[in-house]
Structure formats: C-alpha cells, structure tokens
Amino acid sequence: MCLGLPMTIIETDGITALCEYGDEQRRVSVVLLSDASAGAKVLVHIDSAVRLLDENEARLISEALEGLEASLNGQDCDCFFADLIAHEPQLPEHLR
C-alpha cells in the first residue's frame, strides 16, 4: 500500500523541493504544483508533490498516520481519531 505524506517544503527551485516530514527529508518533484514555495505543506506520493495542503488538513493526515502506527504497535489509538469516535459513518454524496 502506498500512502501520501504531508510534508513541508524547506527549499525549492520550482522543479524539485527539499521536503520534510518528522525526521525525514527527501527531494521531491513539484512540477504538478503552480505555487510550491518554502513553508508550504504538500501531499507527497511516490516522490511527487501532488497538491497543496492547508495546516489543518496536514495535521489531520499526520494524526491519522500516527494513529495507524500506534494501532500497529498495539497501543491505544482513539486519541488520534477523536473526530471519528462516536460518529456514524456516512456514505459520500455520490454513493447515496
């Protein structure tokens, strides 16, 4: 399974960018984005930034990934999914 990571652009030349997520830094392509500047949050999939993220969305993705890691390690993960606890799942509009 491939997951997109919410990364922060450290520096860019307009074609590639040095991005950071946690302790990891990697150089990724930013050619799919029109406004990829230093400090921007981007969703990185297979070493390509595929879209810009706002701070809240980047935080939610990071928390979900941390929750997944906690779950895989047998730890309690409810705190990472507080926005989903006690809510009935809803189908997307196009599937109703």
Side-chain angles (χ1 to χ4, degrees):
M1 173 178 20
C2 296
L3 297 174
L5 295 177
M7 301 187 87
T8 303
I9 295 176
I10 305 301
E11 63 184 30
T12 183
D13 60 13
I15 297 185
T16 64
L18 179 62
C19 294
E20 182 174 62
Y21 177 72
D23 294 336
E24 178 184 356
Q25 287 190 349
R26 93 171 55 150
R27 187 151 294 276
V28 304
S29 170
V30 291
V31 297
L32 297 175
L33 305 178
S34 60
D35 185 28
S37 56
K41 304 283 187 190
V42 292
L43 185 63
V44 176
H45 183 70
I46 312 174
D47 289 334
S48 292
V50 294
R51 70 182 178 92
L52 293 171
L53 300 172
D54 64 35
E55 286 286 334
N56 186 55
E57 189 175 21
R59 181 185 55 76
L60 288 173
I61 294 169
S62 291
E63 287 175 0
L65 292 171
E66 290 173 24
L68 178 60
E69 182 177 10
S71 176
L72 291 170
N73 291 325
Q75 301 167 343
D76 178 41
C77 62
D78 286 355
C79 65
F80 296 104
F81 301 103
D83 59 327
L84 301 176
I85 303 296
H87 287 99
E88 190 67 29
Q90 299 292 316
L91 284 173
E93 191 65 40
H94 69 280
L95 295 177
R96 292 182 195 168

